[in-house]
Amino acid sequence: MIDEALQAFLERGGAIIVGSVSPDGVPHSQRGWGCSVTGPTTVRLLLDRSDPVLGEHLAVAARARLAVTSADVRTLRSVQLKGRVTTVEEPGDEDLRRCDAHNEELFSDIEQTDYFPRALTARMVPPGYLVATIEVEELYDQTPGPGAGAQVEAGWT
């Protein structure tokens, strides 16, 4: 499901938005902070540990579902993955290194394309993280244009 091209796309410094929903159907969103692909249908994603609403949604990891949209700030190419959270844990050193690299690339892209000073975008970084492992069940092309919303089934080109 996640081929090499999609892995490279997901692991670069894209703008990541994460959607979750409570058991009674109330939606919630926050930013994601670095993604790593750990298998053909598995990703690890850093999340803001201080977000109490997301914390409630993730409290029962085996039932939590997330929608994750990652967009390239420079081109607006974007993909959405939907899946089930299998674990929530503390980040390891590799997770934090990946997150730092993600943020550096994201903030650089924002500065180059939107002329928004890096000192201001760096203020978005949360004070701490959790890592959710997500078993990806669906992929969608969310790039603006006539193909937006189409399911990705045979690789990311």
Side-chain angles (χ1 to χ4, degrees), residues 26-154:
V26 177
H28 179 69
S29 67
Q30 73 156 246
R31 292 188 177 280
W33 295 101
C35 181
S36 61
V37 175
T38 58
T41 60
T42 310
V43 299
R44 289 174 61 85
L45 182 66
L46 281 90
L47 302 167
D48 180 352
R49 78 173 309 117
S50 67
D51 183 334
V53 175
L54 184 66
E56 290 175 17
H57 294 185
L58 294 176
V60 183
R63 291 190 312 205
R65 297 186 50 77
L66 296 178
V68 178
T69 301
S70 181
D72 184 320
V73 170
R74 297 165 297 133
T75 65
L76 300 182
R77 187 166 192 208
S78 54
V79 65
Q80 182 183 65
L81 55 91
K82 294 182 180 183
R84 184 177 49 80
V85 176
T86 58
T87 62
V88 178
E89 60 190 327
E90 295 296 321
D93 291 340
E94 181 59 31
D95 295 310
L96 296 174
R97 276 192 293 279
R98 180 172 305 281
C99 185
D100 288 344
H102 167 267
N103 292 350
E104 179 63 28
E105 193 167 11
L106 173 63
F107 299 156
S108 178
D109 285 352
I110 292 170
E111 188 172 48
Q112 290 173 22
T113 59
D114 298 332
Y115 310 107
F116 203 75
R118 185 179 298 232
L120 295 178
T121 52
R123 296 165 112 185
M124 297 186 302
V125 175
Y129 302 100
L130 289 174
V131 179
T133 300
I134 304 164
E135 186 65 31
V136 178
E137 298 166 342
E138 301 173 58
L139 285 170
Y140 297 92
D141 184 346
Q142 294 297 333
T143 305
Q151 192 160 10
V152 176
E153 296 186 36

